Protein backbone atom coordinates (compact mmCIF):
# COMPACT_ATOMS: atom_id res chain seq x y z
CA UNK A 1 0.00 0.00 0.00
CA UNK A 2 1.36 3.39 -1.00
CA UNK A 3 2.21 5.67 1.90
CA UNK A 4 3.43 9.26 1.68
CA UNK A 5 5.44 11.23 4.25
CA UNK A 6 6.11 14.95 4.00
CA UNK A 7 9.11 16.75 5.48
CA UNK A 8 10.96 20.04 5.21
CA UNK A 9 8.41 22.44 6.62
CA UNK A 10 9.29 25.15 9.08
CA UNK A 11 9.57 28.88 9.57
CA UNK A 12 10.78 31.17 6.80
CA UNK A 13 10.96 34.92 6.40
CA UNK A 14 9.10 36.70 3.60
CA UNK A 15 11.21 36.42 0.48
CA UNK A 16 12.91 33.30 1.80
CA UNK A 17 12.92 29.72 0.59
CA UNK A 18 12.03 26.23 1.78
CA UNK A 19 12.16 22.85 0.12
CA UNK A 20 9.52 20.27 0.94
CA UNK A 21 9.98 16.56 0.35
CA UNK A 22 7.33 13.88 -0.16
CA UNK A 23 8.78 10.41 0.29
CA UNK A 24 6.74 7.42 -0.84
CA UNK A 25 6.95 3.88 0.48
CA UNK A 26 7.37 3.04 -3.19
CA UNK A 27 6.03 4.82 -6.24
CA UNK A 28 3.46 2.75 -8.06
CA UNK A 29 2.03 2.79 -11.57
CA UNK A 30 -1.46 2.75 -10.01
CA UNK A 31 -0.99 6.28 -8.66
CA UNK A 32 1.70 7.88 -10.79
CA UNK A 33 0.87 11.54 -10.34
CA UNK A 34 2.03 13.26 -7.17
CA UNK A 35 0.66 16.60 -6.09
CA UNK A 36 1.09 19.18 -3.36
CA UNK A 37 -1.86 20.79 -1.61
CA UNK A 38 -2.08 23.32 1.19
CA UNK A 39 -4.65 24.29 3.75
CA UNK A 40 -4.57 27.49 5.76
CA UNK A 41 -6.63 27.93 8.94
CA UNK A 42 -10.28 28.48 8.11
CA UNK A 43 -9.76 27.86 4.41
CA UNK A 44 -10.39 24.96 2.08
CA UNK A 45 -7.61 22.68 0.95
CA UNK A 46 -6.24 23.91 -2.38
CA UNK A 47 -3.99 22.34 -4.97
CA UNK A 48 -0.54 23.88 -5.38
CA UNK A 49 1.27 21.76 -7.93
CA UNK A 50 1.44 18.32 -9.53
CA UNK A 51 3.91 16.23 -11.47
CA UNK A 52 3.38 13.23 -13.74
CA UNK A 53 4.88 9.81 -13.14
CA UNK A 54 8.04 10.36 -15.19
CA UNK A 55 8.24 14.05 -14.38
CA UNK A 56 7.59 15.15 -17.96
CA UNK A 57 4.49 17.19 -17.12
CA UNK A 58 3.99 19.65 -14.30
CA UNK A 59 1.19 21.97 -13.25
CA UNK A 60 0.93 24.93 -10.90
CA UNK A 61 -1.72 27.04 -9.29
CA UNK A 62 -1.66 30.65 -10.46
CA UNK A 63 -0.79 31.79 -6.94
CA UNK A 64 2.56 29.96 -6.95
CA UNK A 65 3.56 29.81 -10.61
CA UNK A 66 7.01 31.30 -11.09
CA UNK A 67 7.88 30.94 -7.39
CA UNK A 68 7.47 27.21 -6.71
CA UNK A 69 9.06 24.34 -8.63
CA UNK A 70 8.04 20.69 -8.38
CA UNK A 71 10.40 17.85 -9.27
CA UNK A 72 10.81 14.16 -8.57
CA UNK A 73 13.56 11.58 -8.16
CA UNK A 74 11.97 8.20 -8.78
CA UNK A 75 15.14 6.36 -7.71
CA UNK A 76 14.62 7.90 -4.26
CA UNK A 77 10.81 7.64 -4.33
CA UNK A 78 10.70 11.35 -3.54
CA UNK A 79 8.95 14.42 -4.91
CA UNK A 80 10.22 17.88 -4.02
CA UNK A 81 8.57 21.29 -3.86
CA UNK A 82 11.09 24.12 -4.00
CA UNK A 83 9.41 27.26 -2.68
CA UNK A 84 11.12 30.58 -3.36
CA UNK A 85 10.11 34.18 -2.67
CA UNK A 86 7.77 33.02 0.05
CA UNK A 87 4.92 35.26 1.14
CA UNK A 88 2.93 35.32 4.40
CA UNK A 89 -0.09 34.03 2.46
CA UNK A 90 1.86 30.84 1.73
CA UNK A 91 1.50 29.93 5.40
CA UNK A 92 -0.41 26.64 5.61
CA UNK A 93 -0.13 22.94 6.22
CA UNK A 94 1.25 21.38 3.07
CA UNK A 95 0.17 17.89 2.04
CA UNK A 96 1.34 15.61 -0.73
CA UNK A 97 -1.04 13.25 -2.44
CA UNK A 98 -1.17 10.65 -5.21
CA UNK A 99 -3.78 9.99 -7.87
CA UNK A 100 -4.59 7.98 -10.95
CA UNK A 101 -4.25 9.77 -14.25
CA UNK A 102 -2.85 13.28 -14.43
CA UNK A 103 -4.05 16.76 -13.60
CA UNK A 104 -4.29 19.29 -10.79
CA UNK A 105 -7.91 18.50 -9.91
CA UNK A 106 -9.74 19.09 -6.64
CA UNK A 107 -8.91 17.08 -3.49
CA UNK A 108 -11.59 14.45 -4.13
CA UNK A 109 -9.69 13.24 -7.21
CA UNK A 110 -6.67 12.31 -5.13
CA UNK A 111 -6.56 8.93 -3.42
CA UNK A 112 -3.54 8.71 -1.13
CA UNK A 113 -2.55 11.47 1.31
CA UNK A 114 0.32 12.22 3.63
CA UNK A 115 -0.05 13.70 7.11
CA UNK A 116 1.15 17.18 6.22
CA UNK A 117 3.96 19.54 7.20
CA UNK A 118 3.55 23.07 8.55
CA UNK A 119 4.99 26.01 6.64
CA UNK A 120 4.96 29.40 8.34
CA UNK A 121 6.12 32.56 6.58
CA UNK A 122 6.61 35.42 9.00
CA UNK A 123 9.12 38.09 9.92
Amino acid sequence: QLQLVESGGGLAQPGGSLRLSCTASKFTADYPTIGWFRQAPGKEREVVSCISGQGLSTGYADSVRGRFTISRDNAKNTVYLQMNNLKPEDTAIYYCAARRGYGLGPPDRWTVWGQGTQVTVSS
Side-chain angles (χ1 to χ4, degrees), residues 41-64:
K43 294 188 177 181
E44 294 185 352
R45 192 171 296 190
E46 62 175 1
V47 67
V48 173
S49 183
C50 71
I51 188 166
S52 61
Q54 297 304 313
L56 298 180
S57 297
T58 58
Y60 298 93
D62 289 343
S63 58
V64 306

Side-chain angles (χ1 to χ4, degrees), residues 26-92:
K26 183 174 176 57
F27 285 144
T28 169
D30 289 338
Y31 303 105
T33 298
I34 304 296
W36 285 97
F37 286 75
R38 66 187 181 187
Q39 188 165 19
K43 294 188 177 181
E44 294 185 352
R45 192 171 296 190
E46 62 175 1
V47 67
V48 173
S49 183
C50 71
I51 188 166
S52 61
Q54 297 304 313
L56 298 180
S57 297
T58 58
Y60 298 93
D62 289 343
S63 58
V64 306
R65 187 176 291 112
R67 300 189 297 122
F68 291 9
T69 302
I70 193 170
S71 62
R72 67 190 295 162
D73 184 340
N74 286 346
K76 296 182 178 179
N77 291 307
T78 302
V79 169
Y80 304 98
L81 186 69
Q82 178 67 42
M83 306 187 296
N84 297 330
N85 190 21
L86 284 163
K87 303 176 180 181
E89 51 263 44
D90 295 319
T91 295

